[in-house]
Amino acid sequence: MPNKAFWIRSVLIGGISLAALTVFDAFRFVDNGQSLVVFSRLFGLQRTALQPGFHVVPPLLTETYAFDIKTRTLTWKDADDTAYAPRLVSLSGDGQVIRMELTLQYRIADPVVVLDQLGDDYEEYIAATSRSIVFTETGGFSGQALYSTDRVILQSQLRERITTALQERGIAVQDLLIRDVQFDPDFIAAIEAKTITENQLAQKEFEISQARQDARTVISQAEAEAGQLKAKADALRRNPQYLNIIKAEVFGETLDTLITR
């Protein structure tokens, strides 16, 4: 049977070990690009996260949650193992299927709010919110508009709406880019055929307009010449000597010879 001294030594060693572990566990080191959120069993969630450096937190009575606050990226892209998910699929206002490759850059701006409202699985919330907004906003455009001119407008609207939605949850959007948009091949063929027809019509309209302008020019010149002839006829009718002036302009120095013969 162990003697009393043995038990005393065991208790002392255990107590010292526990105290050492407790003291050691009180130290926290936060790396650069990280933030540490502290939850106290006595006081609840601390409103200010711990910044990079050494910190002392009460052991046993607290739990800590580390957050990466560097810029992160979510990408929706087909056949890419690094992407979060395949392309986002939505419908245009006229029912065309839109397959969109999208990149969202964000960072955790307020880790305390993120932990309080979203918990550790905040990335799924970001992805779900983005998918929902993409589907809603895409429905405000026609397929032809997104194929031709309005893709930049859609990108701007998506960035604005997603930024607003995530900001309320402590997440800051750094950028949002539409990398590529795919359409149904039959839809693309129809759009291209329509574009060719419109270009041909525009060319014909230009040619007709040019022909009308040329005709107006010829008419204007004819009217001017007719006006000049009428003015000369009127002058001759009022003054018979005007004919001699015209002859002088035409025949010059030979006028006298012609008249005297």
Side-chain angles (χ1 to χ4, degrees):
M1 294 290 294
N3 55 33
K4 184 177 182 179
F6 173 81
W7 285 111
I8 292 174
R9 285 197 304 272
S10 298
V11 170
L12 288 175
I13 292 172
I16 293 172
S17 299
L18 180 61
L21 290 174
T22 300
V23 171
F24 179 78
D25 193 50
F27 291 97
R28 294 287 188 277
F29 179 76
V30 182
D31 291 330
N32 289 327
Q34 285 191 333
S35 190
L36 199 67
V37 179
V38 179
F39 175 79
S40 171
R41 292 180 176 85
L42 298 178
F43 306 106
L45 195 64
Q46 294 187 10
R47 303 312 305 173
T48 302
L50 303 181
Q51 302 304 308
F54 277 103
H55 300 273
V56 178
V57 296
L60 303 179
L61 297 178
T62 58
E63 292 182 10
T64 57
Y65 301 87
F67 281 85
D68 185 347
I69 58 174
K70 297 188 296 294
T71 298
R72 306 184 67 181
T73 300
L74 280 182
T75 299
W76 288 265
K77 184 178 181 180
D78 292 339
D80 188 344
D81 294 337
T82 65
Y84 176 80
R87 287 173 181 258
L88 294 171
V89 180
S90 56
L91 295 177
S92 65
D94 51 358
Q96 297 299 326
V97 178
I98 310 296
R99 297 176 178 85
M100 189 181 305
E101 183 180 308
L102 193 74
T103 295
L104 174 68
Q105 293 181 335
Y106 72 94
R107 66 179 182 86
I108 302 300
D110 192 336
V112 176
V113 172
V114 172
L115 181 63
D116 185 37
Q117 298 189 13
L118 304 178
D120 292 333
D121 195 20
Y122 56 85
E123 194 171 75
E124 179 55 36
Y125 176 83
I126 295 173
T129 299
S130 299
R131 284 194 299 266
S132 176
I133 292 175
V134 167
F135 190 86
T136 300
E137 292 298 314
T138 303
F141 295 83
S142 68
Q144 182 172 353
L146 292 178
Y147 181 77
S148 55
T149 59
D150 287 358
R151 195 175 305 179
V152 175
I153 299 175
L154 174 61
Q155 177 176 274
S156 178
Q157 291 183 192
L158 290 177
R159 184 186 296 115
E160 181 179 354
R161 282 208 56 197
I162 294 175
T163 296
T164 300
L166 297 183
Q167 189 174 20
E168 299 173 353
R169 305 294 185 180
I171 300 164
V173 172
Q174 303 292 94
D175 202 1
L176 181 141
L177 297 172
I178 297 176
R179 299 291 187 182
D180 186 46
V181 178
Q182 289 184 347
F183 301 85
D184 185 88
D186 292 339
F187 172 73
I188 295 176
I191 289 293
E192 291 177 348
K194 181 180 178 182
T195 301
I196 292 173
T197 301
E198 289 175 347
N199 290 339
Q200 291 174 341
L201 288 175
Q203 179 64 29
K204 290 298 183 184
E205 289 177 356
F206 172 78
E207 292 173 357
I208 293 172
S209 176
Q210 189 64 40
R212 287 173 178 170
Q213 182 62 37
D214 293 342
R216 283 194 292 266
T217 301
V218 171
I219 292 172
S220 297
Q221 292 174 347
E223 289 176 346
E225 293 174 358
Q228 293 174 358
L229 292 174
K230 184 177 182 299
K232 292 178 181 180
D234 291 342
L236 181 61
R237 185 171 55 253
R238 292 193 301 270
N239 184 8
Q241 295 301 320
Y242 182 70
L243 180 59
N244 293 331
I245 298 174
I246 299 301
K247 290 179 178 179
E249 290 179 353
V250 174
F251 297 105
E253 297 178 351
T254 63
L255 177 61
D256 294 339
T257 304
L258 293 172
I259 292 175
T260 57
R261 286 183 178 178

